Amino acid sequence: MEKNWHTEQNDEKEPPIGDVSPPIGGSFSGEDKHAYRALRSPDFLLLLCGVFLSMFGRQMIAVAIGWELYNRTNSALALGGIGLAQVIPLILLFLPSGYVADRYSRKYVVMLAQLLTTIAALCLAALSYFHGSLLLIYVCLIALGTTQSFSNPASSALVSQVVSEEAYENATTWRSSVAQLSAVLGPAAGGLLIGFFHGTILVYVLSAAASLIFVLLLFPMHLRPQIVVSRTQRSWGALIEGLRFLGKTQVMLAAITLDLFAVLLGGATTLLPIYAKDILHVGAVGLGWLNAADSIGAVCMALLLASRPPFKHAGRILLLAVAGFGVATIVFGISRQFWLSLVMLFMLGACDNISVVIRTTLALVRTPDEMRGRVGAVTSLFIGTSNQLGGFESGLAAQLLGTVPSVVVGGIGTLVVVALIAVFWPEMRRLTTLREIKPE
């Protein structure tokens, strides 16, 4: 069957592909050269800065929304509703958002999404100032979920247009580490601002500014030519091509499924406002550090992964990492010591980041460019569903069973999922390198 694609040629010049440039004031050893391979691209550095700011703003909003809603309602279910409001657009829009990312310039898709994120954050600031209705707050959260559904697949696919294929795994690791670094500073900054200013207004305003700066950073970015969906290819088949591709690529489907159910069952981070206020008694500042702890672990793991060679036993490592995620969730659930809770959240982040790097790199190296937007949209649906519905599930379970039992049961469920994937999906156990080995 003939492929109905064409290459979009635009005025953007392809960045030169050359040797990795050494860091300022120094030179690379063999190991360092691998670690800094993706950072030679100035366009990739612009993308990293934008991802940092975007994630920083979203993490601050997450802390502010959780703190504000719990203080106004004292309801765990209200916290769970935060995730539900943001996952509905991901479910409804994942097909058209992936098509848009493959049909139009991904850079401009991200820019428009970030502009809409700015508007939604400013609306949250106004609602906080005027003590607006809870319904309107959830409307803003739905808007944020909508922008995320379009931004995520386009932003992920942009990596392949600013670095060479050999640098995909390294670029994914750095992108993950920068995103997690923003997730360290975002919750801490959000908690400190809420504590010092006794309100969430400034948090929302700064989040809006972060998204706006991301838009400005995207303007000078030069991209490699993008293979896009032909204007004549607008059928339902073009929309669902990402689903078909994942159905044929079992190892990618296994990795995404593992991530979905593990995070769905182990979504303890949604209940952190309850742990901070009622169990650990550490207040808003403590909540900021609880939110930051898993990201600190993720950053440390990302830096470790960036400095090492590519995975040789990726499947086994992924299964062990998700199992570690489940164990850390159980210990966190029963902990009454602030330091132990921080350590377990650190371990959660470290284990989760291994999963992120393996899953994202698989999507880059094994997906044709003309389908990266749609495959990325399906991945965003899986991951967004696991994160947001996991938050709703955690809130509902905490309301029915109690906070601690719901977290512990979720951790046990994660271990069960790992065992099932290992038994019934042998492709995952046998996965060695992330790059598909082509027969000679």
PDB file of all heavy atoms in Angstrom, residues 185-207:
ATOM      1  N   LEU A 185      12.113  22.441  41.696  1.00  0.00           N
ATOM      2  CA  LEU A 185      12.050  23.846  42.095  1.00  0.00           C
ATOM      3  C   LEU A 185      10.619  24.374  42.101  1.00  0.00           C
ATOM      4  O   LEU A 185      10.274  25.222  42.927  1.00  0.00           O
ATOM      5  CB  LEU A 185      12.907  24.685  41.141  1.00  0.00           C
ATOM      6  CG  LEU A 185      14.387  24.308  41.087  1.00  0.00           C
ATOM      7  CD1 LEU A 185      15.114  25.176  40.075  1.00  0.00           C
ATOM      8  CD2 LEU A 185      15.027  24.430  42.467  1.00  0.00           C
ATOM      9  N   GLY A 186       9.769  23.867  41.190  1.00  0.00           N
ATOM     10  CA  GLY A 186       8.400  24.356  41.104  1.00  0.00           C
ATOM     11  C   GLY A 186       7.595  24.145  42.373  1.00  0.00           C
ATOM     12  O   GLY A 186       7.030  25.098  42.929  1.00  0.00           O
ATOM     13  N   PRO A 187       7.484  22.893  42.874  1.00  0.00           N
ATOM     14  CA  PRO A 187       6.735  22.679  44.112  1.00  0.00           C
ATOM     15  C   PRO A 187       7.332  23.423  45.306  1.00  0.00           C
ATOM     16  O   PRO A 187       6.597  23.970  46.133  1.00  0.00           O
ATOM     17  CB  PRO A 187       6.820  21.167  44.321  1.00  0.00           C
ATOM     18  CG  PRO A 187       7.054  20.623  42.970  1.00  0.00           C
ATOM     19  CD  PRO A 187       7.907  21.625  42.264  1.00  0.00           C
ATOM     20  N   ALA A 188       8.674  23.426  45.403  1.00  0.00           N
ATOM     21  CA  ALA A 188       9.299  24.135  46.523  1.00  0.00           C
ATOM     22  C   ALA A 188       8.993  25.627  46.446  1.00  0.00           C
ATOM     23  O   ALA A 188       8.638  26.260  47.450  1.00  0.00           O
ATOM     24  CB  ALA A 188      10.812  23.903  46.508  1.00  0.00           C
ATOM     25  N   ALA A 189       9.121  26.198  45.244  1.00  0.00           N
ATOM     26  CA  ALA A 189       8.814  27.620  45.076  1.00  0.00           C
ATOM     27  C   ALA A 189       7.348  27.897  45.334  1.00  0.00           C
ATOM     28  O   ALA A 189       6.984  28.889  45.991  1.00  0.00           O
ATOM     29  CB  ALA A 189       9.202  28.060  43.665  1.00  0.00           C
ATOM     30  N   GLY A 190       6.466  27.013  44.843  1.00  0.00           N
ATOM     31  CA  GLY A 190       5.040  27.199  45.077  1.00  0.00           C
ATOM     32  C   GLY A 190       4.698  27.159  46.552  1.00  0.00           C
ATOM     33  O   GLY A 190       3.945  28.002  47.056  1.00  0.00           O
ATOM     34  N   GLY A 191       5.250  26.176  47.264  1.00  0.00           N
ATOM     35  CA  GLY A 191       4.982  26.090  48.699  1.00  0.00           C
ATOM     36  C   GLY A 191       5.504  27.289  49.469  1.00  0.00           C
ATOM     37  O   GLY A 191       4.832  27.820  50.355  1.00  0.00           O
ATOM     38  N   LEU A 192       6.720  27.747  49.119  1.00  0.00           N
ATOM     39  CA  LEU A 192       7.292  28.913  49.796  1.00  0.00           C
ATOM     40  C   LEU A 192       6.472  30.175  49.530  1.00  0.00           C
ATOM     41  O   LEU A 192       6.202  30.958  50.450  1.00  0.00           O
ATOM     42  CB  LEU A 192       8.734  29.113  49.325  1.00  0.00           C
ATOM     43  CG  LEU A 192       9.757  28.094  49.841  1.00  0.00           C
ATOM     44  CD1 LEU A 192      11.095  28.287  49.145  1.00  0.00           C
ATOM     45  CD2 LEU A 192       9.928  28.213  51.355  1.00  0.00           C
ATOM     46  N   LEU A 193       6.047  30.371  48.280  1.00  0.00           N
ATOM     47  CA  LEU A 193       5.257  31.552  47.945  1.00  0.00           C
ATOM     48  C   LEU A 193       3.902  31.539  48.653  1.00  0.00           C
ATOM     49  O   LEU A 193       3.436  32.573  49.147  1.00  0.00           O
ATOM     50  CB  LEU A 193       5.060  31.635  46.428  1.00  0.00           C
ATOM     51  CG  LEU A 193       6.304  31.992  45.605  1.00  0.00           C
ATOM     52  CD1 LEU A 193       6.018  31.833  44.116  1.00  0.00           C
ATOM     53  CD2 LEU A 193       6.755  33.417  45.916  1.00  0.00           C
ATOM     54  N   ILE A 194       3.279  30.369  48.703  1.00  0.00           N
ATOM     55  CA  ILE A 194       1.997  30.269  49.411  1.00  0.00           C
ATOM     56  C   ILE A 194       2.183  30.561  50.894  1.00  0.00           C
ATOM     57  O   ILE A 194       1.393  31.271  51.523  1.00  0.00           O
ATOM     58  CB  ILE A 194       1.379  28.872  49.216  1.00  0.00           C
ATOM     59  CG1 ILE A 194       1.004  28.667  47.754  1.00  0.00           C
ATOM     60  CG2 ILE A 194       0.137  28.706  50.096  1.00  0.00           C
ATOM     61  CD1 ILE A 194       0.605  27.248  47.418  1.00  0.00           C
ATOM     62  N   GLY A 195       3.263  30.015  51.469  1.00  0.00           N
ATOM     63  CA  GLY A 195       3.508  30.242  52.883  1.00  0.00           C
ATOM     64  C   GLY A 195       3.844  31.685  53.217  1.00  0.00           C
ATOM     65  O   GLY A 195       3.352  32.233  54.206  1.00  0.00           O
ATOM     66  N   PHE A 196       4.669  32.328  52.385  1.00  0.00           N
ATOM     67  CA  PHE A 196       5.100  33.700  52.676  1.00  0.00           C
ATOM     68  C   PHE A 196       4.017  34.736  52.383  1.00  0.00           C
ATOM     69  O   PHE A 196       3.878  35.727  53.082  1.00  0.00           O
ATOM     70  CB  PHE A 196       6.364  34.039  51.881  1.00  0.00           C
ATOM     71  CG  PHE A 196       7.588  33.323  52.382  1.00  0.00           C
ATOM     72  CD1 PHE A 196       8.627  33.020  51.519  1.00  0.00           C
ATOM     73  CD2 PHE A 196       7.705  32.930  53.709  1.00  0.00           C
ATOM     74  CE1 PHE A 196       9.768  32.354  51.969  1.00  0.00           C
ATOM     75  CE2 PHE A 196       8.827  32.260  54.160  1.00  0.00           C
ATOM     76  CZ  PHE A 196       9.857  31.966  53.297  1.00  0.00           C
ATOM     77  N   PHE A 197       3.260  34.517  51.315  1.00  0.00           N
ATOM     78  CA  PHE A 197       2.264  35.506  50.899  1.00  0.00           C
ATOM     79  C   PHE A 197       0.845  35.117  51.296  1.00  0.00           C
ATOM     80  O   PHE A 197      -0.107  35.842  50.991  1.00  0.00           O
ATOM     81  CB  PHE A 197       2.342  35.732  49.384  1.00  0.00           C
ATOM     82  CG  PHE A 197       3.616  36.392  48.946  1.00  0.00           C
ATOM     83  CD1 PHE A 197       4.690  35.642  48.512  1.00  0.00           C
ATOM     84  CD2 PHE A 197       3.749  37.775  48.990  1.00  0.00           C
ATOM     85  CE1 PHE A 197       5.883  36.239  48.113  1.00  0.00           C
ATOM     86  CE2 PHE A 197       4.940  38.382  48.590  1.00  0.00           C
ATOM     87  CZ  PHE A 197       6.002  37.624  48.155  1.00  0.00           C
ATOM     88  N   HIS A 198       0.701  33.955  51.952  1.00  0.00           N
ATOM     89  CA  HIS A 198      -0.602  33.515  52.474  1.00  0.00           C
ATOM     90  C   HIS A 198      -1.669  33.508  51.387  1.00  0.00           C
ATOM     91  O   HIS A 198      -2.813  33.918  51.606  1.00  0.00           O
ATOM     92  CB  HIS A 198      -1.048  34.402  53.640  1.00  0.00           C
ATOM     93  CG  HIS A 198      -0.027  34.509  54.724  1.00  0.00           C
ATOM     94  ND1 HIS A 198       0.275  33.468  55.572  1.00  0.00           N
ATOM     95  CD2 HIS A 198       0.793  35.543  55.081  1.00  0.00           C
ATOM     96  CE1 HIS A 198       1.225  33.847  56.415  1.00  0.00           C
ATOM     97  NE2 HIS A 198       1.558  35.091  56.135  1.00  0.00           N
ATOM     98  N   GLY A 199      -1.311  33.020  50.219  1.00  0.00           N
ATOM     99  CA  GLY A 199      -2.262  32.940  49.120  1.00  0.00           C
ATOM    100  C   GLY A 199      -1.600  32.370  47.883  1.00  0.00           C
ATOM    101  O   GLY A 199      -0.381  32.180  47.828  1.00  0.00           O
ATOM    102  N   THR A 200      -2.409  32.115  46.876  1.00  0.00           N
ATOM    103  CA  THR A 200      -1.925  31.443  45.675  1.00  0.00           C
ATOM    104  C   THR A 200      -1.869  32.348  44.442  1.00  0.00           C
ATOM    105  O   THR A 200      -1.456  31.904  43.373  1.00  0.00           O
ATOM    106  CB  THR A 200      -2.839  30.248  45.349  1.00  0.00           C
ATOM    107  OG1 THR A 200      -4.188  30.726  45.178  1.00  0.00           O
ATOM    108  CG2 THR A 200      -2.813  29.220  46.476  1.00  0.00           C
ATOM    109  N   ILE A 201      -2.266  33.597  44.567  1.00  0.00           N
ATOM    110  CA  ILE A 201      -2.388  34.477  43.394  1.00  0.00           C
ATOM    111  C   ILE A 201      -1.055  34.632  42.667  1.00  0.00           C
ATOM    112  O   ILE A 201      -0.960  34.481  41.445  1.00  0.00           O
ATOM    113  CB  ILE A 201      -2.934  35.855  43.811  1.00  0.00           C
ATOM    114  CG1 ILE A 201      -4.318  35.699  44.431  1.00  0.00           C
ATOM    115  CG2 ILE A 201      -2.992  36.792  42.615  1.00  0.00           C
ATOM    116  CD1 ILE A 201      -4.872  36.986  45.026  1.00  0.00           C
ATOM    117  N   LEU A 202       0.001  34.946  43.414  1.00  0.00           N
ATOM    118  CA  LEU A 202       1.306  35.175  42.798  1.00  0.00           C
ATOM    119  C   LEU A 202       1.817  33.920  42.099  1.00  0.00           C
ATOM    120  O   LEU A 202       2.479  34.002  41.060  1.00  0.00           O
ATOM    121  CB  LEU A 202       2.307  35.645  43.847  1.00  0.00           C
ATOM    122  CG  LEU A 202       3.705  36.013  43.338  1.00  0.00           C
ATOM    123  CD1 LEU A 202       3.618  37.143  42.313  1.00  0.00           C
ATOM    124  CD2 LEU A 202       4.618  36.407  44.495  1.00  0.00           C
ATOM    125  N   VAL A 203       1.491  32.757  42.651  1.00  0.00           N
ATOM    126  CA  VAL A 203       1.911  31.502  42.032  1.00  0.00           C
ATOM    127  C   VAL A 203       1.324  31.376  40.637  1.00  0.00           C
ATOM    128  O   VAL A 203       2.020  31.025  39.668  1.00  0.00           O
ATOM    129  CB  VAL A 203       1.486  30.305  42.905  1.00  0.00           C
ATOM    130  CG1 VAL A 203       1.754  28.991  42.179  1.00  0.00           C
ATOM    131  CG2 VAL A 203       2.221  30.326  44.232  1.00  0.00           C
ATOM    132  N   TYR A 204       0.047  31.674  40.496  1.00  0.00           N
ATOM    133  CA  TYR A 204      -0.600  31.573  39.191  1.00  0.00           C
ATOM    134  C   TYR A 204      -0.026  32.586  38.198  1.00  0.00           C
ATOM    135  O   TYR A 204       0.172  32.279  37.019  1.00  0.00           O
ATOM    136  CB  TYR A 204      -2.105  31.787  39.332  1.00  0.00           C
ATOM    137  CG  TYR A 204      -2.809  30.759  40.188  1.00  0.00           C
ATOM    138  CD1 TYR A 204      -3.725  31.142  41.167  1.00  0.00           C
ATOM    139  CD2 TYR A 204      -2.566  29.396  40.020  1.00  0.00           C
ATOM    140  CE1 TYR A 204      -4.372  30.206  41.959  1.00  0.00           C
ATOM    141  CE2 TYR A 204      -3.209  28.450  40.811  1.00  0.00           C
ATOM    142  CZ  TYR A 204      -4.111  28.870  41.780  1.00  0.00           C
ATOM    143  OH  TYR A 204      -4.749  27.938  42.553  1.00  0.00           O
ATOM    144  N   VAL A 205       0.239  33.789  38.662  1.00  0.00           N
ATOM    145  CA  VAL A 205       0.774  34.832  37.782  1.00  0.00           C
ATOM    146  C   VAL A 205       2.161  34.445  37.281  1.00  0.00           C
ATOM    147  O   VAL A 205       2.481  34.588  36.084  1.00  0.00           O
ATOM    148  CB  VAL A 205       0.810  36.191  38.505  1.00  0.00           C
ATOM    149  CG1 VAL A 205       1.539  37.235  37.669  1.00  0.00           C
ATOM    150  CG2 VAL A 205      -0.606  36.667  38.816  1.00  0.00           C
ATOM    151  N   LEU A 206       3.011  33.953  38.155  1.00  0.00           N
ATOM    152  CA  LEU A 206       4.355  33.540  37.742  1.00  0.00           C
ATOM    153  C   LEU A 206       4.298  32.343  36.788  1.00  0.00           C
ATOM    154  O   LEU A 206       5.115  32.240  35.867  1.00  0.00           O
ATOM    155  CB  LEU A 206       5.193  33.193  38.973  1.00  0.00           C
ATOM    156  CG  LEU A 206       5.581  34.378  39.870  1.00  0.00           C
ATOM    157  CD1 LEU A 206       6.351  33.883  41.082  1.00  0.00           C
ATOM    158  CD2 LEU A 206       6.408  35.397  39.093  1.00  0.00           C
ATOM    159  N   SER A 207       3.348  31.455  37.000  1.00  0.00           N
ATOM    160  CA  SER A 207       3.185  30.319  36.093  1.00  0.00           C
ATOM    161  C   SER A 207       2.796  30.793  34.698  1.00  0.00           C
ATOM    162  O   SER A 207       3.282  30.261  33.686  1.00  0.00           O
ATOM    163  CB  SER A 207       2.122  29.360  36.639  1.00  0.00           C
ATOM    164  OG  SER A 207       2.503  28.845  37.900  1.00  0.00           O
TER     165      SER A 207
END
